[in-house]
Structures are given as structure tokens and as C-alpha cells.
Amino acid sequence: MYTESLVKLGKVRSEIREIFEYGNKRKAEIGAENVFDFSIGNPSVPAPKSVNDAIIDLVNNFDSVALHGYTSAQGDAKVRTTIANYINNRFNTEIAPDNIYMTCGAASSLTIVFNAIMQKDDECIVFTPYFPEYGVFLERTGAKLVAVKSEDKTFQVDMKGFEAAINEKTKAVVINSPNNPSGVVYSVETIEKMCDLLRKKEKEYGHPIFLVTDEPYRELVYDDIEVPYLINYYDDTFVCYSYSKALSLPGERIGYIVVSPKMKDAGDAYAAVCGAGRALGYVCASSMYQRVIEKCIDDTADISIYKVNRDLLYNNLTEMGYECVYPDGAFYLFVKAMGDDAHEFCEKAKEHELLLVPADSFGTPGYVRISYCVQTKQIEDALPAFKKLAESYQK
Ligand SMILES: Cc1ncc(COP(=O)(O)O)c(C=O)c1O
């Protein structure tokens, strides 16, 4: 009677949600301060003051009917102009407002782009570890997710494996840099190699292979790391941007898609994005938050706190004997499970009230993800528990 695959999807919670719910139950039992919940990627830093100021100003001074009314489907023209100017100044691009489509965050940016370009039996390459929802989003289009294993330990792209995975059915490649869950950022050199290979393959197969760059963590990089802007490297690029993490607004659902103006038939590509947004019933992105973004275009939440957390966690855990991937960005630490079985390791961690996420569903068994978007004190308080957990494997 109901769509069977969706009944199934609705009944299984993601592993992350499962652990998060367990954490809430455990907190009620023994007190929140005694549970070290590192499960979920909810920003722990408040939105910047500019966001609150913008909301107050809009509510007090902006026409209320317009503020809460529908905007045009692709987003308010003035907002898109502000975003286009900002991107052009920052990345030296030539993006027009009509290359931008406002969305309800990266998740909807991705579903819209996938629906715009992926047809049944097309293949979409992702690199391990990858955000598990890619599989869910792609399945609705009838396309197939092809996971390419990244290099051991560094989790950089394995160029040979990448080349071997590309065939005439390959329609898209997803890049998520900074990466959830590894924190890895791809260098300019890596991006150039990937783009050279894709151009070669586009020629060989005579059709475009689109780069879909999933960028909710673009602003979350530490130590002056550069995140290349892919439109400057590859013409057939869709940028899926979100303010969820950059401005700490995940519940407000606001982001955008950029359709590269250099793409072949860029007008049709943009129309396909508009069509997908319409077919999926998005109508328009939040009218008020589009205007908030316009006012806070060059601001971010206080990201320095994540760097403090990263350094504290990485330095202490490596000293205790954990094998960790050094994260240049995002707010996750990717750690090799002691004993190699990530589920067993996470169960053992629970005995010390440490809630970690096994990375099997990210396509990388044997690893766990630790979200360090938490209060710094939680990390300090959790260190003895991490030590006991490590010692239990060193006996
Ligand atoms: C890699 C990745 N892509 C997309 C999303 C979805 O983000 P948004 O809140 O912008 O929809 C997330 C959220 O955690 C993510 O980690």
C-alpha cells in the first residue's frame, strides 16, 4: 500500500541518530555532565551577533508581508546579487545572480542537483568515507552510487582507483572537502589532477561528467588552509553550499546552488535545477533567512573554538596511542578503532560513557567518527575516559 522502500527508510534511524537518542536516554539516567556525547554534527558555537541583529532589524524595519511571503522560486534577486558579488570578489569568478538558486541547505542542494542531472542507471562516484545520505538522495533518482576507496591512513584521493571507477555511465562525481567524517581537505594539486582526469574522460565518452561539490564545511578550516573553489578548475561544476555550519544555522535550512556559468548549455542546467526544485516541492527557501544571509554575507560563527577543540582532542588522543587522521577542516576527528571492529570499539566506549559513531555507514569499516563540535569542557572531562578505553586495549 505504501512505498515499501520509503517505509523501510522511515523505520530505520541513521546510526548517528540511534547513538544520539541513546545519549539522551543515558543523560536522563546519570546526568548530562557524565555522558560524553560526540555523536552528532550540530554546531556548538552560537550564530554570530550579526545574525541576531539582522533578524531584529528585519522584523522591526522590513515590510512584514514581504519578509514572510514567498520569494521567487530561485530566491530573491537582491539576495542572489549579493551572494554572486561576494563569491566573485572572494574567488575571482564571474558568477551572475541567475547562476544561483537558493535552497534549504546542502541536503536540498544535493537532492535538487542529483534530480537535475542523474537518470536511471547513471553512476555517481563518491570517495570513502562519505556522508551516508548521498546514497539515500541518489536512490530516488534511480542512479547508482559508486564508492571509490580513498588512500589508506591519509584518506586522500586514490587517483588510480578513481580512474578505474570511471566509465561511460559515470555522470557525476561528488567532492566533499573539508570532509565529513575525515576532516580531510583536498589540495589544489589534488583538485587539478582530478579535473584533468575528468576532462580526459569527458572527451573519451563524449558527454559531461559533472562535479558536485558539497560544501557545508567550506568556512571551517584551520591554520590558513586553502579550499580551492572548484568553478575555477572545472567547467561542469555545481556548488552545493550551506550556512548550517558556517553561521551555526542548521535548523533554519538555508543555502544555495551555484551552476557554473562555464558549463555547456548553462541556461538549461540552471533550468533543470529550477525544475528539480519545483518537482521536489521546495517552492522557495526561507524568505526571512535569505534576507538574513544578505546582511551577514561575510560573517561566520566563532570557528576558532573548533580549532581549540581539534588541537585538544587530536594531541591528547594521539599521545594516548590512538591513530587519528589530522583534520584540516570540518569538526570531526576520524580515528582507527582499536581492535579493528568499529562497532565493538564503540560498544566498549559506551562502558566509559563515550558516545562515538562507527564509520561503517560512511563506507569505511574499522574507523570511528568523533564530532568535536561540543563544549571544550566536555573534551577535557572526557580525556580520562578516552585514556581508560585505550588502556583496556593495551593490556
Ligand atoms: C557532508 C555533508 N553534506 C551535507 C550535509 C547537510 O547539511 P545541511 O544542514 O546544509 O542540509 C551535511 C550535514 O551534516 C554534511 O555533513
Side-chain angles (χ1 to χ4, degrees), residues 188-204:
V188 168
E189 197 193 348
T190 301
I191 293 297
E192 280 176 343
K193 275 191 204 154
M194 294 175 84
C195 296
D196 285 346
L197 175 61
L198 286 175
R199 271 187 289 271
K200 190 179 97 178
K201 293 290 178 180
E202 282 192 326
K203 252 196 204 136
E204 186 179 333

Side-chain angles (χ1 to χ4, degrees), residues 41-42 103-110 130-134 137 176-181 214-217 240-245 249-251 253-255 331-332 362 369:
N42 225 347
T103 67
C104 308
S108 65
S109 302
L110 289 162
Y130 61 88
F131 185 51
E133 295 304 280
Y134 296 153
F137 300 159
N176 172 221
S177 166
N179 180 270
N180 171 12
D214 179 20
E215 305 204 340
Y217 301 99
C240 297
Y241 188 84
S242 163
Y243 294 95
S244 290
K245 321 282 175 172
L249 294 174
R253 317 305 305 138
I254 188 78
F331 42 42
Y332 307 104
F362 293 86
R369 187 188 82 169

